[in-house]
Amino acid sequence: MTARHGVRVWLALVTVYVVWGSTFIALAITVRDLPPFLAMALRHLVAGGILLAIALPRGDTRGDRVGRPQIVAAFVFGGLLFVTGHGALAWAQQTVPAGVAALLVGTIPIWMALFDRLGFGHRLDVSAYFGIVLGFVGLAFLFDPFGESSIDRLGALVIVLSAMCWAAGSLYSRGAPLPRRPLVSAGLASMCGGLLLAGYATVSGELGEAVWTQEAVLALGYLIVVGSFVGFTAYVWLLRSAPTSLVSTYAYVNPVIALGLGALLAGESLTAQVLVAAAAVVFGVSLVVSTERPRGAKVEPVG
């Protein structure tokens, strides 16, 4: 496999696996001391600003006009991905273990396939339907509505809703008047999402609740530098250098990486309930991803 795709492709792929899997651990450390929406506001304002500063002056600028339509679309897109997506995720990770959070976020391809079918009439293969059902079975087993689940159900539900919003935002980006180049679109959406997050953090009083510990600052820096720049750069390069079917494996490998890192670094317990649910969800997502046909979304998910 290495000989077929090249060493650089596999190094980049492993980078995406480990980096985006580890961001859930970094986020869990961040929200111990920093309010969740404030932390995500800082992350996306810094990341978005730097992305725009790097991307705008370079390359073919045709189609990169940033006017009112692009800004409105970026606020909608950034709001869905980074406010109801990352912001809600950060809030929920105050009570939900990082590995479980990654598993729940890993259902995004399932929600995308379902919304694409219901909203746009995109036909799915039989195996994709089976994957969706299997994913829901895994979620039901994890929530265990009729038993005594060890998982905070409210926090887990918020993460599922955030995954649904991320999927909806990704589908919205297909027809939205966003700048053509992925880095410019990502930077503008990140900036707009960061502004919305900052506004909410200010109104809700989070500015006065922040405790700037060394651990929280380092973890936030890791999210910005490693999560947003290293991971996203490797991902964008992979999209142009490797088969989409290979790149998309991050969707079901990242939760496994996060579960392992959570157990190894954060002492999170891997109960039988979590492992069975993980097996069902990961296998379900792999079935959905393996049957996807390229549809050309303008901006791919960012870890």
Side-chain angles (χ1 to χ4, degrees), residues 231-245:
F232 186 65
T233 301
Y235 184 72
V236 170
W237 183 83
L238 278 168
L239 288 175
R240 299 170 181 172
S241 307
T244 303
S245 58

Side-chain angles (χ1 to χ4, degrees), residues 11-296:
L11 286 175
L13 195 61
V14 170
T15 298
V16 171
Y17 288 165
V18 175
V19 166
W20 283 357
S22 65
T23 54
F24 293 92
I25 308 297
L27 183 54
I29 296 172
T30 301
V31 297
R32 289 175 188 169
D33 300 308
L34 293 179
F37 291 96
L38 174 62
M40 292 301 95
L42 293 172
R43 175 186 182 182
H44 289 297
L45 287 174
V46 173
I50 295 178
L51 275 175
L52 287 177
I54 293 174
L56 277 177
R58 299 186 179 185
D60 183 3
T61 59
R62 290 175 296 177
D64 285 340
R65 178 177 175 271
V66 179
R68 182 176 179 180
Q70 288 73 33
I71 293 174
V72 171
F75 269 110
V76 175
F77 185 47
L80 286 169
L81 264 65
F82 303 130
V83 180
T84 56
H86 280 171
L89 171 65
W91 179 86
Q93 273 203 241
Q94 294 176 107
T95 57
V96 177
V100 174
L103 179 62
L104 295 172
V105 170
T107 62
I108 287 175
I110 291 177
W111 295 114
M112 285 190 68
L114 187 60
F115 293 164
D116 206 7
R117 179 67 183 93
L118 296 176
F120 299 95
H122 178 55
R123 292 187 177 184
L124 301 175
D125 292 341
V126 174
S127 57
Y129 284 112
F130 181 71
I132 290 173
V133 172
L134 192 57
F136 284 144
V137 169
L139 288 178
F141 193 83
L142 187 64
F143 278 85
D144 191 14
F146 303 108
E148 296 183 0
S149 175
S150 60
I151 306 300
D152 174 29
R153 291 192 179 99
L154 176 60
L157 178 60
V158 168
I159 296 176
V160 171
L161 293 175
S162 76
M164 294 171 67
C165 289
W166 190 287
S170 298
L171 292 175
Y172 166 80
S173 73
R174 290 175 177 170
L178 293 164
R180 180 177 52 81
R181 286 188 293 160
L183 287 180
V184 178
S185 291
L188 184 61
S190 189
M191 281 289 292
C192 291
L195 289 173
L196 292 173
L197 286 161
Y200 179 80
T202 302
V203 172
S204 63
E206 283 193 350
L207 293 177
E209 299 172 0
V211 179
W212 300 95
T213 62
Q214 182 178 5
E215 280 189 349
V217 172
L218 289 175
L220 181 59
Y222 181 89
L223 288 171
I224 295 171
V225 177
V226 181
S228 294
F229 296 132
V230 175
F232 186 65
T233 301
Y235 184 72
V236 170
W237 183 83
L238 278 168
L239 288 175
R240 299 170 181 172
S241 307
T244 303
S245 58
L246 180 67
V247 181
S248 62
T249 57
Y250 84 91
Y252 48 91
V253 174
N254 282 355
V256 176
I257 296 290
L259 283 167
L261 290 177
L264 183 65
L265 301 179
E268 297 176 358
S269 59
L270 295 178
T271 63
Q273 178 189 19
V274 171
L275 291 175
V276 172
V281 170
V282 169
F283 186 54
V285 170
S286 69
L287 288 176
V288 172
V289 169
S290 65
T291 59
E292 284 183 346
R293 298 177 179 86
R295 294 292 301 275

